[in-house]
Amino acid sequence: MRPLTVLILILGALAALTFAVLSLSSNDVRGGGSATGSVVGPVVTPKADIQPRESANLAGPERVLPPVDRLAEEPTTRRIADPAAGEAWANTLVGVVRSPDGLPLEGVEVKLYSGRTNKALLAFRRMANGGAPDKPVREVRTGAEGLFQFRALQPGSSWMLTAEHGDFSFTEVGPITMPKSGTVQEDIELAVGYTVAGLVRDAETGKPLSEALVVLDDQLSINMPGGRPGPHYQEVRTKPDGSYAIRHLAPGTYSLICRKPDYATLLKTNIATLGDEDTVELDFEMGAGQVLAGRVVDGAGQGVEGATLDAISHNTTREQGMSRGNAVSGPDGEFLIDDVLAGMYTLTTQAIGFQSEPMHRVEAGNTNITVRVVRQGGVMGRAIDGVTGRPLSDFEVRVRLVNPKMPEASKRGRVVSQARVQSSSDGRFEVTGVPEGSYVVQGSAHGYANSFSGRFVVNEGQATPDVEVRMSKGGTLVGTVLDAKTRKPLKGVTVSTNDNNWIDSEFTNLLAGLNEPHVAHHTVRTDADGRFKIPLLSPEVYQVRIASEDHTVVTLNDINVVADSEHDMGVTMLSQGAEVAGTVYLVEGGVGKGISVYLHPADGSYQANRQTRTDAEGRFSIKNAPPGTYKLSASRPTQQGNPFQTIMDMTASEVEVLLIEGTKTPMNLTLGGE
C-alpha cells in the first residue's frame, strides 16, 4: 500500500476512532438499541447513606433456558477447561433479544467477540488486518423466545456482544464482565434505526435515473483493499422515480457510492446518522463519465498486467461529492477508467512485486497516461541453529524495516514481506516483494526464540543474497506470585510479556495492529505453587504484566532478558485492592440502566483505567483497583444527538474518590441534563 493510500486510510481511521472513543461500550436508544432500555419513574434523590448492593455484574436469575437454535456453522458450545489453570469455567452469558415494543425476536444473529471494541473500532482493525473482518469467538441465532446463551467463557471484562437482524439496526453491547462461575444476563433491545434516502437524477436534464446502484458502507471499509464489504454494507437500486432508501442504520458515520453505466461514479463521505432526525436526505446529480486511460509499465518499458489503479478527484464540493474510478491493467499493461467526472485526479497504482508513487493532477480525458512502477527486490538466505550450525527444515521468516541511523538494538519496524518454509533440506529461504530500504529478517521456529539477522539493504529489482538467521533458544523468565495478604501461592494467574513501557488501552492495542510488536507476546499461567516460567524469549527488555481476576494488576517494566540465561523475577505480591460501588441516578428520575461507568487515576496515568456498566437496577461495582485517588464518572448510551455527549456526561457526573486497600467505598453518581 502506497503512502498516500495509507495516509487517507489513517486519516479516516482517526476520524472513525474519534467517534469510536466517544461511543465506547454504549448504544443509542433510537438507532442502536440499548442493552437494557431506559427507566423513567419518580424522581429519586440520591442519599449519601445508600449502600450499594454487592454485585453489578450478575443481574438476572440463574435459570435453565430452553435450547437455542444455532447457526449451521456453529460448533456445539461446551465447557472448556483451561489446562494451565487446571479448572473449567462454570459461567454462562444469557439474554433475550427484543424488538422496540418489547417482543422477543427470532432469527437474530448474536455474535460474541473477545476484546473491548465497537463498530468503528472493528472497522479500524479491519484496516490493520488487510481488510479481513474480525471473527467472533462464538455465534448463535435466537429461537422463538429470542434467547441466546454462551457457556464457559474466560473470566474478565473484555467481552462484547453484537446483534444483527434485517429489520433492525446493528446493535452492540459491552464491555461485559464474566465471573469464574455464575450467570450474567444481558438483554438486548433492537431499534428500527436510521434511514439514508434521496433521489438520483441526471445533472443536465434533471430527470430521475432508475436502476442506479447506491452502495453504503462505513468510512474505513469503503477503502479496504480488495473491496471487502464492512459489517454495515448495504446496496440498493433506485426506483423508476430515481428514489432510493437504505434503512436500519446504527448511529455512525458512513460513505455512499452511486454508480450507473455511462455516468461518472460519485462518492459522498462523512454521512452522520445521529440525533433526533430519523432520516438523512442525500441526493445525487449524475454527470457524464469521462475517461482516464494509458499503460502501466516497468523500468524496462514492459507492460505490467494485473495492476490495480484507483483515481480520486480533487476540488469537489460537499453537495456534488467526490468522483472516483478504478480499473485493473490488461495483458500489455493497458487500463481504462471510464466513469469519472471532468477535473483533476490523484491516480494510485498497486501491483504485486512492484512499487509506485501516486500521480497527482491527472486530468480526466487524458488517454495517454504512462504509469511507471518499480520492480521490488527480495532477500535470500539460510536459517540455521545458532549453536550446532545445522539448517532448519520448518520455519517462518519476516522481513522487517529498520532505521539505518539507529543503533542495532533499536526498535524494529513493520513487516513488509514474509514466507513460510517447510521440509527444507538446507534451511534456505527466499522472500520477494521487498521495496528498497534497510531491513532485518526475523526467524520463527518451534523450540526457538524469535531470532534476527544482521541489517542489510535491498536495492530496486534485486535480491539481496546470503542473509543468515542464527536461531537461538533465547532466555527464560521465572518467578512466583503470592497473595499479599495470606502469603499463599496464587494458581492460574496470567503472566504476559509486552513491549517495554507498553500502555494497555483500546487505542494502543488497535494501533499495534499496524505494526508488529518489537518483542514477542507470550502468555502463561502460574501453577499450583504460584510459579511461572516463560522460555524462548529473545534477548530484549520487556514489560511483564501479572493479572488475576481477584487481584490488582501488576505491571513491571525494564525486565532485561539475556540469551542463554534464566532471569528470576523473584516474588510478586498481588493485593486484592479496593472496590468502589454504587448506583447511577438520572436527573429526570429513576436509575440509569446500561450506563457506562469509568474509573480513571487522578494523576492521568493509564495502567489503572477501569470501566463497567450498570445493571438493570442502575448498580455498578469496580473491584480490585489499586489504592489511590481516582476520578469516577458515567455516560449514558451513545450520543443522544450530540457526538460529544459522552465527554459532556463524564465531565458533569465526575466525582473524586479515594480508594483504600481492602475496603469497599460506596459512591453514587448523578447523570442527566444537557
Side-chain angles (χ1 to χ4, degrees):
M1 189 179 297
R2 306 312 312 143
L4 180 64
T5 306
V6 173
L7 179 59
I8 292 171
L9 290 177
I10 290 178
L11 288 175
L14 292 176
L17 191 58
T18 299
F19 175 82
V21 170
L22 297 177
S23 61
L24 269 173
S25 311
S26 49
N27 300 279
D28 189 281
V29 172
R30 171 185 300 277
S34 171
T36 53
S38 59
V39 173
V40 179
V43 176
V44 178
T45 304
K47 296 181 180 180
D49 59 352
I50 294 178
Q51 292 299 311
R53 300 196 182 184
E54 186 64 27
S55 172
N57 293 318
L58 300 180
E62 294 190 17
R63 56 197 172 109
V64 178
L65 298 175
V68 178
D69 295 334
R70 301 191 177 279
L71 298 175
E73 63 272 27
E74 168 65 5
T76 302
T77 303
R78 62 191 185 280
R79 184 172 298 178
I80 301 173
D82 184 331
E87 59 185 312
W89 309 124
N91 56 30
T92 305
L93 174 60
V94 301
V96 179
V97 183
R98 294 187 175 90
S99 65
D101 54 8
L103 298 176
L105 284 172
E106 183 177 5
V108 180
E109 292 185 9
V110 180
K111 299 179 181 180
L112 180 71
Y113 291 89
S114 177
R116 295 182 182 180
T117 185
N118 63 22
K119 57 184 177 297
L121 299 177
L122 281 172
F124 184 91
R125 201 148 66 194
R126 282 169 58 84
M127 181 180 72
N129 294 339
D134 265 26
K135 292 183 178 179
V137 175
R138 313 259 185 90
E139 53 186 283
V140 297
R141 191 186 300 272
T142 59
E145 297 185 20
L147 295 166
F148 65 88
Q149 62 181 7
F150 300 101
R151 300 183 185 277
L153 303 179
Q154 174 76 36
S157 58
S158 61
W159 295 100
M160 155 102 28
L161 289 171
T162 65
E164 299 175 63
H165 188 284
D167 296 332
F168 301 93
S169 63
F170 176 90
T171 300
E172 56 201 0
V173 177
I176 299 167
T177 298
M178 293 302 300
K180 290 181 179 179
S181 62
T183 299
V184 174
Q185 178 138 359
E186 286 287 352
D187 293 342
I188 302 174
E189 181 182 310
L190 300 188
V192 174
Y194 291 86
T195 297
V196 174
L199 296 173
V200 179
R201 295 182 289 244
D202 185 294
E204 185 174 344
T205 66
K207 292 182 178 180
L209 296 176
S210 64
E211 292 300 313
L213 178 66
V214 182
V215 175
L216 176 140
D217 212 339
D218 59 74
Q219 295 276 77
L220 293 179
S221 297
I222 210 86
N223 290 300
M224 282 295 129
R228 295 183 180 93
H232 306 284
Y233 180 93
Q234 292 192 53
E235 64 176 51
V236 295
R237 295 276 181 180
T238 55
K239 297 179 180 179
D241 63 356
S243 65
Y244 74 92
I246 299 176
R247 308 182 191 280
H248 310 307
L249 298 175
T253 306
Y254 301 95
S255 292
L256 276 181
I257 294 178
C258 187
R259 295 189 178 97
K260 186 172 175 63
D262 301 324
Y263 288 87
T265 296
L266 293 181
L267 168 66
K268 294 193 176 186
T269 60
N270 297 316
I271 303 162
T273 53
L274 296 169
D276 296 327
E277 295 296 327
D278 295 316
T279 301
V280 177
E281 295 184 359
L282 203 64
D283 297 337
F284 286 93
E285 303 287 338
M286 306 291 285
Q290 300 284 319
V291 301
L292 290 167
R295 289 182 71 218
V296 180
V297 299
D298 62 16
Q302 299 297 312
V304 176
E305 183 179 4
T308 300
L309 299 101
D310 194 28
I312 300 178
S313 60
H314 297 182
N315 304 323
T316 57
T317 64
R318 181 175 178 84
E319 291 74 20
Q320 181 188 50
M322 303 168 65
S323 186
R324 178 178 179 178
N326 51 66
V328 177
S329 62
D332 195 35
E334 71 280 1
F335 70 88
L336 172 65
I337 300 173
D338 61 356
D339 56 354
V340 295
L341 286 173
M344 293 293 180
Y345 288 79
T346 293
L347 186 63
T348 59
T349 305
Q350 297 182 65
I352 297 176
F354 295 88
Q355 62 190 94
S356 65
E357 296 298 326
M359 296 180 65
H360 302 289
R361 301 194 62 77
V362 179
E363 188 170 7
N366 188 340
T367 60
N368 194 30
I369 303 168
T370 299
V371 177
R372 301 190 183 277
V373 295
V374 175
R375 191 174 295 276
Q376 294 175 324
V379 55
M380 297 184 296
R382 296 177 72 222
I384 63 173
D385 185 290
V387 176
T388 66
R390 66 174 180 82
L392 271 64
S393 59
D394 297 277
F395 58 93
E396 294 182 4
V397 288
R398 294 176 174 86
V399 182
R400 297 183 63 171
L401 279 165
V402 295
N403 187 333
K405 297 181 180 180
M406 297 294 288
E408 188 74 27
S410 64
K411 189 171 183 178
R412 290 169 284 271
R414 65 183 178 88
V415 176
V416 299
S417 192
Q418 57 190 356
R420 182 178 181 85
V421 178
Q422 294 179 301
S423 303
S424 172
S425 60
D426 56 7
R428 293 195 177 276
F429 63 83
E430 181 176 1
V431 185
T432 58
V434 182
E436 283 188 298
S438 296
Y439 300 94
V440 295
V441 171
Q442 172 186 315
S444 304
H446 178 70
Y448 292 89
N450 284 347
S451 304
F452 298 87
S453 71
R455 292 184 181 180
F456 58 91
V457 174
V458 172
N459 295 313
E460 175 187 325
Q462 298 179 13
T464 301
D466 304 325
V467 173
E468 188 174 75
V469 183
R470 301 181 67 86
M471 303 296 295
S472 79
K473 302 293 184 179
T476 302
L477 275 179
V478 298
T480 303
V481 182
L482 304 180
D483 184 286
K485 184 177 181 179
T486 66
R487 296 299 194 268
K488 292 182 178 180
L490 291 174
K491 174 186 174 183
V493 173
T494 299
V495 183
S496 57
T497 60
N498 294 300
D499 284 350
N500 198 34
N501 297 313
W502 173 253
I503 296 174
D504 185 16
S505 70
E506 185 82 8
F507 183 73
T508 54
N509 275 289
L510 285 166
L511 290 183
L514 297 174
N515 289 289
E516 184 120 341
H518 182 58
V519 302
H521 180 79
H522 296 266
T523 298
V524 299
R525 289 184 181 274
T526 56
D527 61 19
D529 297 321
R531 296 279 297 171
F532 67 86
K533 182 177 182 178
I534 310 178
L536 305 177
L537 293 174
S538 301
E540 302 280 0
V541 179
Y542 291 84
Q543 176 190 91
V544 176
R545 186 174 187 268
I546 303 173
S548 166
E549 180 191 9
D550 301 321
H551 298 80
T552 61
V553 175
V554 171
T555 302
L556 304 171
N557 288 301
D558 303 318
I559 305 299
N560 189 31
V561 174
V562 180
D564 303 318
S565 69
E566 184 175 273
H567 180 102
D568 192 340
M569 294 179 58
V571 175
T572 302
M573 297 287 187
L574 296 189
S575 67
Q576 293 185 351
E579 178 183 0
V580 58
T583 301
V584 176
Y585 294 94
L586 303 177
V587 165
E588 60 269 27
V591 297
K593 301 190 299 183
I595 299 295
S596 295
V597 179
Y598 310 91
L599 186 69
H600 299 295
D603 62 4
S605 60
Y606 295 96
Q607 294 292 359
N609 282 354
R610 302 288 296 276
Q611 180 181 344
T612 190
R613 289 185 305 122
T614 59
D615 66 8
E617 297 182 19
R619 301 171 303 178
F620 68 90
S621 173
I622 297 177
K623 299 180 180 180
N624 311 124
T629 303
Y630 290 84
K631 301 290 186 181
L632 183 70
S633 59
S635 70
R636 74 194 77 187
T638 314
Q639 279 76 47
Q640 298 287 341
N642 184 344
F644 296 101
Q645 188 68 56
T646 298
I647 293 177
M648 295 165 62
D649 280 347
M650 292 175 66
T651 301
S653 62
E654 184 177 88
V655 297
E656 189 171 281
V657 56
L658 175 63
L659 300 185
I660 301 172
E661 173 69 27
T663 65
K664 180 177 180 178
T665 301
M667 184 63 67
N668 299 318
L669 296 174
T670 302
L671 182 64
E674 294 298 326

